[in-house]
Amino acid sequence: MALASIFEKIVGRDANVAFMAYDGSKAGPDGADVRLEVKSPIAVAYLAQAPGELGLARAYVSGHIDVHGDMYTLLDRMWNITTNDLSLSEKMDAVRSLGVKPLLMRVPPPPQEMRQSTLARLGSRHAKQRDAEAIHHHYDVSNRFYEWVLGPSMAYTCAVFPHEESSLEEAQFAKFDLVARKLGLKPGMRLLDVGCGWGGMVMHAAREYGVKVLGVTLSKQQADWARRAIADAGLQDLAEVRHMDYRDVREGDFDAVSSIGLTEHIGAANVPGYFSFLYGKLKPGGRLLNHCITRPTGKEKTFNKGGFINRYVFPDGELESVGWLVRQMEDIGFEIRHEENLREHYAQTLKYWCDNLDANWEDAVQEVGMGTARVWALYMAGCIVGFERNKVQLHQVLGVKLDPTGNAHVPLRPSRDWP
């Protein structure tokens, strides 16, 4: 069987994708607007040794496969393989089609792949040193690179779009403001923002609500960038960002806690302790807003250690269902006052990020290298498809620490609607 035809079989004959290979073979419809080019035997070796999602990702990241056309369109059309991977029987069929020789080639994974052995040397899952390395792997890429991808807000979490035509910056402002309103922020209050990133929520709460805010992040590059931004904005009297593990925060009696995009890094075994820690940091009547990516139900695997996302993007990342997370919050003592799913908003956010990366592609490649830029192109486009197809969701959950009399200190209805 010709090489291009083998790749077509693996990806799917109904995907409306054209294939061409270094042996001169072609497959798929002639008029397809997306083409996959197999450039060298190393691509075949990657696929033979890891049929499905991981093998294709390795070949693309390392430059032995090229995509001609829109990455999102490609991944949307080959959804079953990029998200659900192949069954064991399908993998065996792929290996038989590719032959024995590619299995014998020694081809190490691209350097962008985080090896499990590397993480294992740093302790058990979600030990402090191991968490720090996992965060460093993803977030300490380059602040300049993130500026190009994320835009001026430097917000690397789901935005909230007030209208279909809202810009990314408008939507990120709306997200931070939604969090602030759900937390009931007022001048003079104290807010703890865990996993604060580049300080977007920290600065929004200080600038727009007169709140004194402490933000913490495990990324040194994020902390350095946030401190400069706070100084440039003249918010030093209200806003502070520290490079530290949230578990090392000693202050307490906060009026509110925001956790925007951190829970995914905690790990299921540590979630009860995580919510217990945040509960202990709040004064009675204090509120927690937890904003995180979730699984759509409790039936899916919590994480795939061997998959592309876990190896290249979020090492040790784990997703849980919103129902499970709510139960953990309730068992700790939080009363749940509001919950909403924003998954369509995350798909739209990612589209903006993909457009930004495309617009700055040459600069991005020069800054972080072709392999890392390709990781981002692949991961963000794949995530758009995931949110659109309800394979992942984004939930905000608002919990309150009741006072000793059972008072939640929450109005009967919010003074302004929560969109």
Side-chain angles (χ1 to χ4, degrees):
M1 185 182 293
L3 187 57
S5 296
I6 295 174
F7 272 74
E8 181 188 37
K9 179 181 177 181
I10 293 169
V11 171
R13 289 191 172 91
D14 299 327
N16 192 24
V17 175
F19 300 85
M20 51 187 178
Y22 61 88
D23 65 354
S25 60
K26 295 182 179 181
D30 291 335
D33 56 348
V34 178
R35 291 178 295 132
L36 202 65
E37 180 184 3
V38 184
K39 300 176 67 176
S40 80
I42 295 177
V44 182
Y46 276 134
L47 196 65
Q49 294 169 27
E53 170 196 313
L54 183 59
L56 285 169
R58 284 172 170 171
Y60 172 70
V61 170
S62 61
H64 297 286
I65 283 181
D66 272 345
V67 174
H68 303 277
D70 182 61
M71 177 66 76
Y72 162 78
T73 302
L74 172 67
L75 297 183
D76 189 44
R77 290 177 184 173
M78 50 188 282
W79 170 252
N80 286 335
I81 187 172
T82 56
T83 300
N84 301 323
D85 210 342
L86 298 175
S87 67
L88 179 60
S89 63
E90 289 171 325
K91 288 182 178 182
M92 294 305 296
D93 287 343
V95 170
R96 279 192 289 268
S97 297
L98 292 167
V100 176
K101 187 175 180 180
L103 286 170
L104 302 178
M105 292 180 63
R106 298 187 64 181
V107 285
Q112 291 77 18
E113 184 171 316
M114 172 63 78
R115 308 288 187 87
Q116 289 298 312
S117 58
T118 300
L119 289 173
R121 289 196 292 270
L122 299 174
S124 59
R125 288 179 69 85
H126 303 294
K128 285 184 178 181
Q129 187 178 2
R130 181 161 166 166
D131 276 351
E133 179 58 29
I135 294 300
H136 167 73
H137 172 81
H138 186 73
Y139 293 97
D140 288 342
V141 175
S142 158
N143 282 335
R144 180 177 295 178
F145 174 80
Y146 277 107
E147 288 171 357
W148 288 324
V149 173
L150 304 180
S153 71
M154 287 296 278
Y156 186 32
T157 47
C158 175
V160 175
F161 291 82
H163 309 286
E164 290 284 346
E165 65 276 9
S166 296
S167 70
L168 178 60
E169 290 309 304
E170 291 169 340
Q172 290 294 10
F173 183 96
K175 182 267 300 296
F176 289 132
D177 212 58
L178 178 61
V179 172
R181 286 185 280 122
K182 286 181 177 179
L183 290 174
L185 297 184
K186 296 180 177 62
M189 283 185 169
R190 296 173 64 240
L191 169 68
L192 172 64
D193 185 37
V194 292
C196 69
W198 290 270
M201 184 65 205
V202 171
M203 288 185 285
H204 186 95
R207 182 182 60 245
E208 305 296 330
Y209 288 84
V211 172
K212 190 171 181 62
V213 194
L214 170 61
V216 295
T217 173
L218 274 176
S219 166
K220 185 177 186 303
Q221 289 191 23
Q222 286 182 337
D224 291 343
W225 192 98
R227 290 175 186 135
R228 288 193 295 270
I230 288 169
D232 290 344
L235 295 171
Q236 303 96 312
D237 291 342
L238 291 174
E240 178 188 1
V241 167
R242 297 177 190 167
H243 174 220
M244 66 186 300
D245 193 298
Y246 78 91
R247 290 166 285 194
D248 294 328
V249 173
R250 296 190 176 185
E251 294 91 334
D253 259 3
F254 289 95
D255 297 281
V257 174
S258 52
S259 174
I260 306 175
L262 176 59
T263 314
E264 303 91 326
H265 300 288
I266 296 298
N270 296 316
V271 165
Y274 163 70
F275 285 132
S276 178
F277 181 86
L278 299 183
Y279 186 87
K281 292 299 174 184
L282 286 166
K283 62 174 57 173
R287 304 181 191 181
L288 164 67
L289 192 285
N290 195 72
H291 166 124
C292 72
I293 302 170
T294 71
R295 295 182 286 133
T297 74
K299 298 177 181 179
E300 303 88 359
K301 290 188 295 186
T302 57
F303 62 97
N304 178 7
K305 289 192 292 186
F308 167 72
I309 291 289
N310 204 271
R311 288 174 181 262
Y312 283 85
V313 186
F314 295 114
D316 286 349
E318 298 182 38
L319 300 183
E320 305 299 332
S321 71
V322 66
W324 187 86
L325 290 170
V326 165
R327 173 57 57 86
Q328 307 312 307
M329 291 178 67
E330 289 177 328
D331 288 351
I332 293 301
F334 285 106
E335 182 180 58
I336 305 303
R337 302 298 303 211
H338 192 268
E339 189 282 326
E340 65 177 312
N341 185 359
L342 298 168
R343 73 175 177 86
E344 295 88 353
H345 293 260
Y346 217 157
Q348 184 64 26
T349 304
L350 283 154
K351 288 176 183 177
Y352 273 104
W353 292 344
C354 285
D355 288 345
N356 287 345
L357 179 56
D358 287 344
N360 295 282
W361 182 257
E362 292 183 4
D363 288 334
V365 169
Q366 186 172 1
E367 178 72 13
V368 300
M370 179 64 77
T372 297
R374 286 188 172 213
V375 166
W376 275 76
L378 183 59
Y379 130 70
M380 293 195 299
C383 286
I384 296 173
V385 182
F387 282 106
E388 287 182 340
R389 291 179 177 249
N390 194 32
K391 297 301 180 181
V392 280
Q393 300 178 347
L394 189 289
H395 284 265
Q396 286 191 351
V397 179
L398 178 66
V400 177
K401 179 178 181 177
L402 303 178
D403 72 14
T405 67
N407 191 338
H409 300 274
V410 174
L412 291 177
R413 298 299 300 162
S415 57
R416 286 182 283 175
D417 289 338
W418 293 337

